[in-house]
């Protein structure tokens, strides 16, 4: 009997392995994409977009309030000591708050944002404790109850920036 005369085992046929490889590759790529999507979660589209739009208008009103008061600030970071120091100026210095909220928001990754409270000292400077910043561009916000100042900073190359009302 010749070797080619009998039936061949299925696992020796290359066409069978090709037919198995195509769906197996699809499943493996699908699982890899699923794992990647869970690790790099970037948030959900909000359902209440109308409410978010109204909130944006309130933020714009806070910028206008800061401009009316003539507010501006300069921020200096000391990353080795983990401190932030702000010099806040206004048309009426007596109206400056005792404390404000300083936010350093990473431009691309929300998990790297840093928020701290700064308090006014006896010398008029605002100081607060600040954890180390991740490298990259950060949007800086200084806000109180009814106003907000904004600026930008690139860590670790820059350790200071100017803050002004958004336009």
């Amino acid at each position: 009997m010749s070797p080619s005369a009998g039936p061949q085992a299925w696992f020796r046929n290359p066409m069978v392995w090709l037919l198995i490889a195509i769906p197996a590759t699809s499943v493996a790529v699908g699982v890899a994409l699923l794992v990647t999507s869970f690790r790099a979660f970037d948030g959900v589209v909000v359902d209440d977009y109308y409410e978010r739009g109204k909130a944006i208008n309130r933020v714009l009103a806070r910028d206008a309030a800061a401009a009316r008061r003539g507010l501006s600030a300069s921020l200096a970071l000391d990353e080795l000591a983990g401190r932030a120091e702000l010099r806040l100026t206004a048309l009426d210095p007596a109206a400056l708050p005792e404390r404000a909220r300083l936010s350093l928001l990473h431009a691309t990754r929300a998990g790297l944002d840093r928020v701290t409270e700064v308090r006014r000292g006896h010398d008029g400077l605002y100081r607060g404790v600040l954890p180390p910043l991740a490298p990259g561009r950060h949007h800086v916000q200084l806000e109180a109850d009814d106003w907000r100042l904004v600026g930008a900073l690139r860590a670790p190359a820059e350790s200071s920036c100017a803050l002004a009302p958004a336009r």
Side-chain angles (χ1 to χ4, degrees):
M1 198 167 13
S2 74
S4 64
Q8 190 177 21
W10 69 269
F11 56 86
R12 293 184 187 243
N13 188 343
M15 196 54 113
V16 171
W17 289 109
L18 180 66
L19 290 174
I20 291 172
I22 291 173
T25 303
S26 298
V27 169
V29 169
V31 168
L33 287 174
L34 187 66
V35 167
T36 302
S37 70
F38 280 116
R39 285 188 180 166
F41 180 70
D42 61 349
V44 180
V45 176
V46 293
D47 291 332
D48 58 346
Y49 61 89
Y50 179 72
E51 293 298 321
R52 297 281 294 226
K54 290 193 318 186
I56 289 171
N57 288 337
R58 284 192 294 270
V59 168
L60 295 176
R62 295 174 73 196
D63 294 331
R68 276 193 312 273
R69 294 180 181 184
L71 292 170
S72 65
S74 61
L75 170 67
L77 300 177
D78 183 357
E79 289 216 39
L80 293 176
R83 293 185 188 177
E85 187 175 273
L86 281 148
R87 181 174 302 278
L88 184 60
T89 59
L91 293 175
D92 180 15
L96 292 176
E98 287 300 314
R99 65 182 74 166
R101 181 177 144 174
L102 176 66
S103 305
L104 287 105
L105 311 169
H106 195 274
T108 57
R109 305 204 39 210
L112 300 176
D113 295 350
R114 301 291 181 254
V115 178
T116 188
E117 182 179 88
V118 291
R119 294 178 182 261
R120 184 167 55 179
H122 298 295
D123 55 359
L125 294 177
Y126 288 80
R127 291 181 180 85
V129 176
L130 188 67
L133 294 178
R137 183 174 168 84
H138 293 268
H139 301 286
V140 182
Q141 288 186 13
L142 179 66
E143 46 195 343
D145 294 333
D146 58 345
W147 56 263
R148 176 182 82 148
L149 299 175
V150 295
L153 178 77
R154 186 171 301 277
E158 299 172 0
S159 61
S160 63
C161 72
L163 303 172
R167 296 177 195 245

